[in-house]
């Protein structure tokens, strides 16, 4: 992935003005996510990454210093992907990543995400049926974690992550 692009200087200037970053960029644009995280790390800012995962939520906390960054965490997933022409697809990267999460999610979520990724590999649009439920869960979890960070309450930091799946509680 290319971390330096014409828009990187503007991104860096915007991020530099913040006290922290709340990343809700969809994995559909992984290069954009990695550029955002790179800018935050360069300016020593904490990052919260929030994703809907099926009918559940995943939140990662990347402290301003000391924790591995997102690029380092997903590097093993990226290394497992075949390198054909260009960058791997969203479905490829997220599929490998989901294999690591699967033991922590209920089977319905794993099945649903698998179906979505197969459709996307076939070139069909992403049928995100869980958007409302997942968005509520991830928003509530992330806001609670941001509150705790601001209150000085210790949080599990990356590479640890918090996952909630409504069926497996």
């Amino acid at each position: 992935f290319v971390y330096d692009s014409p828009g990187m200087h503007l991104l860096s200037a915007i991020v530099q003005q913040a006290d922290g970053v709340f990343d809700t960029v969809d994995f559909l644009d992984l290069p954009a996510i990695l550029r955002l995280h790179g800018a935050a790390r360069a300016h020593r800012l904490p990052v919260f990454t929030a994703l809907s995962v099926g009918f559940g939520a995943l939140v990662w906390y990347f402290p301003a210093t000391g924790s591995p960054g997102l690029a380092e965490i997903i590097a093993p997933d990226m290394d497992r992907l075949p390198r054909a022409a260009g960058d791997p697809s969203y479905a490829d990267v997220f599929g490998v990543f989901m294999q690591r999460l699967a033991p922590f999610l209920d089977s319905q979520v794993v099945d649903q995400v698998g179906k979505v990724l197969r459709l996307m590999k076939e070139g069909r649009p992403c049928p995100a049926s869980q958007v409302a439920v997942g968005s509520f869960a991830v928003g509530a979890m992330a806001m609670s974690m941001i509150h705790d960070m601001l209150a000085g309450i210790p949080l599990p930091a990356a590479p640890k992550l918090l996952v909630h799946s409504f069926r497996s509680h």
Side-chain angles (χ1 to χ4, degrees), residues 62-168:
F62 297 90
T65 59
S67 173
L70 180 62
E72 292 84 12
I73 289 172
I74 66 169
D77 299 325
M78 302 298 292
D79 290 343
R80 291 176 49 195
L81 296 170
R83 295 290 177 171
D87 293 331
S89 73
Y90 163 86
D92 292 330
V93 174
F94 200 70
V96 172
F97 176 69
M98 280 300 296
Q99 288 174 4
R100 282 202 283 155
L101 291 181
F104 306 102
L105 300 171
D106 63 271
S107 62
Q108 182 183 17
V109 169
V110 174
D111 291 344
Q112 180 65 27
V113 171
K115 287 176 189 173
V116 168
L117 294 175
R118 280 191 297 281
L119 290 172
M120 292 178 73
K121 280 187 172 197
E122 295 170 3
R124 296 197 230 166
C126 175
S129 58
Q130 81 292 354
V131 171
V133 175
S135 297
F136 171 79
V138 78
M141 251 172 69
M143 287 296 104
S144 177
M145 291 174 69
I146 290 169
H147 169 273
D148 288 354
M149 181 200 69
L150 293 171
I153 298 169
L155 293 171
K160 293 180 181 175
L161 51 84
L162 282 111
V163 177
H164 176 75
S165 184
F166 285 99
R167 297 247 174 188
S168 60

